Amino acid sequence: MSKNIGILVGSLRKDSLNKIVAKKLAELFPADSTVTFIEIGDLPIYNEDLEANAPESYTRFRKEMKEQDAFVFITPEYNRGMPASLKNAIDVGSRPWGESVWPGKPVLVGSVSPSGISGALANHQIRQSLVFGDSPVMAQPELYIDASKAIGEDGQVVSGSVEFLQTIVDAFVAFSDKNSK
């Protein structure tokens, strides 16, 4: 079944390791899927006072999000947590009250880090926020990428990691089919 998959990348940096992995993931979805990268860098920090005359970026973001059937979050870890850009996107998407974009939409959360624990803490913070938002979040297999091993000197995802990412995408497609409303 064809699906619209929205990808949100927590690193706003032009040459982000997270963007490299997210682009490779996007290529691995079935041909009948429509994969869209959702812009989050232009969203003002959520403030309920702005809702009376919502910024265009809030309106655009919410509209794009409502058009998606499922989501992929790819995140770095900043100071042992999720980046403000993703937390803000989650908050903007959950408002106004009663109009959240999250309920019932399956989510894959992946994290990418140049070393260490591969963003595991940020990964789990995102999961926690989305479970509260009533999104089914895929628990297994988990997606933690050590970029020092998964991305080659040429800036491309290396062969063995591409195969791993394909298993993740395949599992998410199955999870999404099973958990879509």
Side-chain angles (χ1 to χ4, degrees), residues 1-4 66-71 98 100-107 130-137 172-181:
M1 170 158 84
S2 80
K3 291 212 182 304
N4 293 326
K66 287 179 180 177
E67 294 170 353
Q68 307 310 308
D69 300 308
F71 299 105
S100 176
V101 302
W102 305 116
K105 298 206 178 170
V107 177
L130 292 171
V131 167
F132 175 78
D134 197 25
S135 290
V137 179
F172 183 61
V173 167
F175 176 81
S176 182
D177 287 346
K178 186 172 96 176
N179 289 284
S180 292
K181 283 188 176 179

Side-chain angles (χ1 to χ4, degrees), residues 103-119:
K105 298 206 178 170
V107 177
L108 164 64
V109 180
S111 49
V112 180
S113 173
S115 64
I117 57 176
S118 302

Side-chain angles (χ1 to χ4, degrees), residues 77 80 113-120 144-149:
E77 184 171 291
R80 297 289 189 238
S113 173
S115 64
I117 57 176
S118 302
Y144 306 108
I145 298 290
D146 178 345
S148 69
K149 296 176 182 159

Side-chain angles (χ1 to χ4, degrees), residues 22-119:
K23 286 177 182 176
K24 181 51 68 179
L25 274 170
E27 294 171 10
L28 300 174
F29 275 91
D32 65 345
S33 296
T34 301
V35 180
T36 304
F37 281 82
I38 309 289
E39 175 62 43
I40 63 172
D42 64 340
L43 297 173
I45 297 295
Y46 183 75
N47 177 345
E48 191 174 358
D49 292 343
L50 297 177
E51 292 294 355
N53 189 19
E56 185 281 326
S57 59
Y58 281 16
T59 303
R60 182 234 0 119
F61 175 77
R62 290 168 176 157
K63 179 181 180 298
E64 286 181 30
M65 296 296 283
K66 287 179 180 177
E67 294 170 353
Q68 307 310 308
D69 300 308
F71 299 105
V72 175
F73 280 71
I74 301 296
T75 187
E77 184 171 291
Y78 296 157
N79 302 309
R80 297 289 189 238
M82 78 171 95
S85 60
L86 283 179
K87 179 62 169 101
N88 189 50
I90 292 168
D91 293 345
V92 169
S94 71
R95 298 289 190 262
W97 186 255
E99 297 180 36
S100 176
V101 302
W102 305 116
K105 298 206 178 170
V107 177
L108 164 64
V109 180
S111 49
V112 180
S113 173
S115 64
I117 57 176
S118 302

Side-chain angles (χ1 to χ4, degrees), residues 140-168:
Q140 293 291 329
E142 295 178 301
L143 179 55
Y144 306 108
I145 298 290
D146 178 345
S148 69
K149 296 176 182 159
I151 299 174
E153 290 182 21
D154 62 354
Q156 300 299 310
V157 177
V158 299
S159 178
S161 293
V162 172
E163 286 77 18
F164 171 67
L165 292 176
Q166 186 66 66
T167 65
I168 297 291

